[in-house]
Short mmCIF file of all heavy atoms in Angstrom, two decimals:
data_model
loop_
_atom_site.label_atom_id
_atom_site.label_comp_id
_atom_site.label_asym_id
_atom_site.label_seq_id
_atom_site.Cartn_x
_atom_site.Cartn_y
_atom_site.Cartn_z
N ARG A 1 0.81 -1.23 -0.03
CA ARG A 1 0.00 -0.04 0.02
C ARG A 1 0.96 1.23 0.01
O ARG A 1 0.52 2.24 -0.69
CB ARG A 1 -0.88 -0.05 1.23
CG ARG A 1 -2.03 1.06 1.21
CD ARG A 1 -2.94 1.01 2.43
NE ARG A 1 -3.95 1.95 2.42
CZ ARG A 1 -4.84 2.16 3.36
NH1 ARG A 1 -4.71 1.39 4.44
NH2 ARG A 1 -5.80 3.05 3.28
N ARG A 2 1.98 1.23 0.66
CA ARG A 2 2.90 2.38 0.73
C ARG A 2 3.40 2.62 -0.70
O ARG A 2 3.40 3.80 -1.09
CB ARG A 2 4.06 2.14 1.63
CG ARG A 2 3.73 2.03 3.14
CD ARG A 2 4.91 2.18 3.97
NE ARG A 2 5.95 1.18 3.80
CZ ARG A 2 6.23 0.12 4.50
NH1 ARG A 2 5.30 -0.18 5.48
NH2 ARG A 2 7.18 -0.75 4.21
N ILE A 3 3.76 1.66 -1.42
CA ILE A 3 4.37 1.82 -2.74
C ILE A 3 3.21 2.34 -3.64
O ILE A 3 3.51 3.23 -4.49
CB ILE A 3 4.92 0.48 -3.24
CG1 ILE A 3 6.20 0.18 -2.42
CG2 ILE A 3 5.36 0.69 -4.75
CD1 ILE A 3 6.78 -1.17 -2.91
N LEU A 4 1.98 1.86 -3.57
CA LEU A 4 0.95 2.24 -4.44
C LEU A 4 0.61 3.69 -4.08
O LEU A 4 0.27 4.49 -5.10
CB LEU A 4 -0.31 1.42 -4.22
CG LEU A 4 -0.27 -0.02 -4.75
CD1 LEU A 4 -1.46 -0.79 -4.34
CD2 LEU A 4 -0.09 0.09 -6.26
N LEU A 5 0.65 4.07 -2.81
CA LEU A 5 0.39 5.55 -2.49
C LEU A 5 1.47 6.39 -2.99
O LEU A 5 1.07 7.51 -3.52
CB LEU A 5 0.27 5.58 -0.92
CG LEU A 5 -1.00 5.08 -0.33
CD1 LEU A 5 -0.89 5.12 1.19
CD2 LEU A 5 -2.19 5.86 -0.70
N SER A 6 2.69 6.02 -2.95
CA SER A 6 3.83 6.82 -3.50
C SER A 6 3.65 6.95 -4.94
O SER A 6 3.85 8.00 -5.47
CB SER A 6 5.09 6.17 -3.18
OG SER A 6 6.26 6.93 -3.61
N ALA A 7 3.29 5.87 -5.74
CA ALA A 7 3.07 5.92 -7.18
C ALA A 7 1.92 6.84 -7.51
O ALA A 7 1.95 7.49 -8.64
CB ALA A 7 2.91 4.50 -7.69
N SER A 8 0.98 6.92 -6.59
CA SER A 8 -0.24 7.65 -6.93
C SER A 8 0.09 9.18 -7.10
O SER A 8 -0.83 9.90 -7.73
CB SER A 8 -1.35 7.50 -5.91
OG SER A 8 -0.92 8.16 -4.71
N PHE A 9 1.12 9.63 -6.65
CA PHE A 9 1.49 11.05 -6.64
C PHE A 9 1.69 11.46 -8.12
O PHE A 9 1.66 12.68 -8.42
CB PHE A 9 2.70 11.47 -5.81
CG PHE A 9 2.41 11.42 -4.32
CD1 PHE A 9 3.24 10.70 -3.50
CD2 PHE A 9 1.46 12.17 -3.89
CE1 PHE A 9 2.96 10.65 -2.14
CE2 PHE A 9 1.17 12.14 -2.46
CZ PHE A 9 1.93 11.45 -1.60
N PHE A 10 2.00 10.60 -9.03
CA PHE A 10 2.28 10.91 -10.51
C PHE A 10 1.00 11.57 -10.96
O PHE A 10 0.92 12.38 -11.79
CB PHE A 10 2.47 9.70 -11.23
CG PHE A 10 3.93 9.22 -11.22
CD1 PHE A 10 4.35 8.23 -10.32
CD2 PHE A 10 4.90 9.77 -12.11
CE1 PHE A 10 5.71 7.78 -10.27
CE2 PHE A 10 6.21 9.47 -12.02
CZ PHE A 10 6.67 8.42 -11.16
N LEU A 11 -0.21 11.03 -10.47
CA LEU A 11 -1.53 11.46 -11.01
C LEU A 11 -1.81 12.95 -10.78
O LEU A 11 -2.35 13.63 -11.62
CB LEU A 11 -2.63 10.65 -10.43
CG LEU A 11 -2.55 9.06 -10.72
CD1 LEU A 11 -3.75 8.38 -9.97
CD2 LEU A 11 -2.67 8.89 -12.24
N PHE A 12 -1.36 13.44 -9.56
CA PHE A 12 -1.70 14.75 -9.20
C PHE A 12 -0.94 15.81 -10.13
O PHE A 12 -1.55 16.79 -10.65
CB PHE A 12 -1.33 15.13 -7.80
CG PHE A 12 -2.10 14.25 -6.81
CD1 PHE A 12 -1.60 13.05 -6.28
CD2 PHE A 12 -3.40 14.67 -6.50
CE1 PHE A 12 -2.37 12.32 -5.39
CE2 PHE A 12 -4.12 13.83 -5.59
CZ PHE A 12 -3.64 12.81 -5.06
N ALA A 13 0.36 15.62 -10.27
CA ALA A 13 1.12 16.52 -11.19
C ALA A 13 0.68 16.43 -12.60
O ALA A 13 0.49 17.49 -13.26
CB ALA A 13 2.61 16.17 -11.06
N THR A 14 0.52 15.28 -13.13
CA THR A 14 0.02 15.05 -14.51
C THR A 14 -1.28 15.70 -14.79
O THR A 14 -1.46 16.43 -15.80
CB THR A 14 0.11 13.55 -14.84
OG1 THR A 14 1.45 13.07 -14.67
CG2 THR A 14 -0.26 13.41 -16.36
N SER A 15 -2.23 15.32 -14.01
CA SER A 15 -3.64 15.84 -14.14
C SER A 15 -3.72 17.38 -14.07
O SER A 15 -4.27 18.01 -14.92
CB SER A 15 -4.60 15.26 -13.09
OG SER A 15 -4.63 13.87 -13.16
N ALA A 16 -2.90 17.97 -13.09
CA ALA A 16 -2.98 19.46 -12.91
C ALA A 16 -2.25 20.06 -14.01
O ALA A 16 -2.64 21.17 -14.55
CB ALA A 16 -2.26 19.80 -11.59
N ALA A 17 -1.14 19.50 -14.53
CA ALA A 17 -0.39 20.12 -15.67
C ALA A 17 -1.25 20.10 -16.96
O ALA A 17 -1.32 21.14 -17.66
CB ALA A 17 0.88 19.31 -15.98
N LEU A 18 -1.86 19.01 -17.21
CA LEU A 18 -2.66 18.89 -18.42
C LEU A 18 -3.85 19.89 -18.34
O LEU A 18 -4.18 20.64 -19.29
CB LEU A 18 -3.17 17.52 -18.70
CG LEU A 18 -2.08 16.48 -19.03
CD1 LEU A 18 -2.71 15.03 -19.09
CD2 LEU A 18 -1.39 16.84 -20.30
N LEU A 19 -4.54 19.85 -17.19
CA LEU A 19 -5.80 20.77 -17.05
C LEU A 19 -5.35 22.27 -17.12
O LEU A 19 -6.05 23.02 -17.79
CB LEU A 19 -6.42 20.53 -15.68
CG LEU A 19 -7.25 19.22 -15.70
CD1 LEU A 19 -7.83 18.98 -14.29
CD2 LEU A 19 -8.50 19.26 -16.63
N SER A 20 -4.27 22.67 -16.33
CA SER A 20 -3.89 24.01 -16.42
C SER A 20 -3.41 24.46 -17.74
O SER A 20 -3.74 25.64 -18.30
CB SER A 20 -2.78 24.25 -15.36
OG SER A 20 -1.69 23.46 -15.72
N TYR A 21 -2.74 23.55 -18.53
CA TYR A 21 -2.31 23.92 -19.85
C TYR A 21 -3.48 24.15 -20.91
O TYR A 21 -3.56 25.08 -21.51
CB TYR A 21 -1.40 22.80 -20.41
CG TYR A 21 -0.91 23.02 -21.85
CD1 TYR A 21 -0.01 23.90 -22.10
CD2 TYR A 21 -1.53 22.35 -22.93
CE1 TYR A 21 0.43 24.20 -23.44
CE2 TYR A 21 -1.12 22.56 -24.24
CZ TYR A 21 -0.17 23.50 -24.48
OH TYR A 21 0.31 23.71 -25.78
N LEU A 22 -4.49 23.25 -20.63
CA LEU A 22 -5.70 23.36 -21.56
C LEU A 22 -6.54 24.56 -21.26
O LEU A 22 -7.06 25.20 -22.06
CB LEU A 22 -6.46 21.99 -21.49
CG LEU A 22 -5.73 20.79 -22.05
CD1 LEU A 22 -6.64 19.65 -21.89
CD2 LEU A 22 -5.63 20.97 -23.56
N LEU A 23 -6.72 24.83 -19.85
CA LEU A 23 -7.59 25.81 -19.33
C LEU A 23 -6.93 27.26 -19.39
O LEU A 23 -7.63 28.24 -19.52
CB LEU A 23 -8.06 25.52 -17.96
CG LEU A 23 -9.00 24.26 -17.91
CD1 LEU A 23 -9.43 24.00 -16.47
CD2 LEU A 23 -10.18 24.37 -18.80
N LEU A 24 -5.66 27.25 -19.09
CA LEU A 24 -4.95 28.58 -18.90
C LEU A 24 -4.21 29.13 -20.18
O LEU A 24 -3.74 30.25 -20.12
CB LEU A 24 -3.98 28.59 -17.74
CG LEU A 24 -4.70 28.14 -16.32
CD1 LEU A 24 -3.66 28.16 -15.25
CD2 LEU A 24 -5.76 29.22 -15.95
N LYS A 25 -3.91 28.32 -21.16
CA LYS A 25 -3.21 28.74 -22.24
C LYS A 25 -3.70 29.96 -22.92
O LYS A 25 -2.94 30.86 -23.26
CB LYS A 25 -3.09 27.62 -23.27
CG LYS A 25 -2.19 27.88 -24.39
CD LYS A 25 -2.08 26.75 -25.42
CE LYS A 25 -1.11 27.19 -26.48
NZ LYS A 25 -0.95 26.02 -27.49
N GLY A 26 -5.04 29.95 -23.01
CA GLY A 26 -5.62 31.19 -23.59
C GLY A 26 -6.17 32.22 -22.65
O GLY A 26 -6.86 33.18 -23.00
N ALA A 27 -5.92 31.91 -21.33
CA ALA A 27 -6.50 32.92 -20.37
C ALA A 27 -5.55 34.10 -20.17
O ALA A 27 -4.44 34.19 -20.61
CB ALA A 27 -6.55 32.13 -18.93
N SER A 28 -6.16 35.12 -19.46
CA SER A 28 -5.39 36.39 -19.24
C SER A 28 -4.35 36.10 -18.22
O SER A 28 -4.37 35.19 -17.39
CB SER A 28 -6.36 37.42 -18.69
OG SER A 28 -6.96 37.10 -17.43
N ASP A 29 -3.42 36.99 -18.16
CA ASP A 29 -2.28 36.88 -17.10
C ASP A 29 -2.87 36.94 -15.76
O ASP A 29 -2.39 36.34 -14.87
CB ASP A 29 -1.28 37.96 -17.36
CG ASP A 29 -0.33 37.78 -18.57
OD1 ASP A 29 -0.35 36.67 -19.03
OD2 ASP A 29 0.25 38.73 -19.03
N GLU A 30 -3.89 37.83 -15.55
CA GLU A 30 -4.51 37.91 -14.28
C GLU A 30 -5.13 36.59 -13.71
O GLU A 30 -4.83 36.25 -12.51
CB GLU A 30 -5.62 39.00 -14.22
CG GLU A 30 -5.11 40.44 -14.36
CD GLU A 30 -4.74 40.78 -15.78
OE1 GLU A 30 -4.96 39.93 -16.71
OE2 GLU A 30 -4.13 41.87 -16.05
N VAL A 31 -5.78 35.91 -14.61
CA VAL A 31 -6.25 34.60 -14.16
C VAL A 31 -5.25 33.58 -13.85
O VAL A 31 -5.35 32.88 -12.74
CB VAL A 31 -7.27 34.12 -15.33
CG1 VAL A 31 -7.67 32.58 -14.99
CG2 VAL A 31 -8.44 34.95 -15.52
N ARG A 32 -4.18 33.61 -14.53
CA ARG A 32 -3.12 32.58 -14.32
C ARG A 32 -2.41 32.96 -13.06
O ARG A 32 -2.01 32.08 -12.31
CB ARG A 32 -2.14 32.59 -15.54
CG ARG A 32 -2.60 31.75 -16.70
CD ARG A 32 -1.58 31.66 -17.82
NE ARG A 32 -1.51 32.89 -18.48
CZ ARG A 32 -0.72 33.03 -19.70
NH1 ARG A 32 0.04 32.06 -20.10
NH2 ARG A 32 -0.74 34.21 -20.28
N MET A 33 -2.09 34.18 -12.82
CA MET A 33 -1.45 34.55 -11.60
C MET A 33 -2.35 34.37 -10.31
O MET A 33 -1.86 34.13 -9.22
CB MET A 33 -0.92 36.02 -11.73
CG MET A 33 0.10 36.29 -12.78
SD MET A 33 1.45 35.22 -12.61
CE MET A 33 1.25 34.14 -14.03
#
């Protein structure tokens, strides 16, 4: 379970990066900041 929990951290960075790239790429600087 420890190893699975450690591996699960990949999901947080990957999901957030993809979502922020898709949602913020065309957003204003104020929204991104």
Side-chain angles (χ1 to χ4, degrees):
R1 190 177 182 188
R2 294 196 301 262
I3 294 175
L4 288 174
L5 287 170
S6 183
S8 72
F9 286 128
F10 280 96
L11 298 175
F12 295 100
T14 300
S15 300
L18 293 175
L19 284 173
S20 62
Y21 177 76
L22 293 173
L23 296 176
L24 298 177
K25 184 178 181 181
S28 66
D29 287 343
E30 288 79 7
V31 171
R32 283 185 282 185
M33 295 306 108

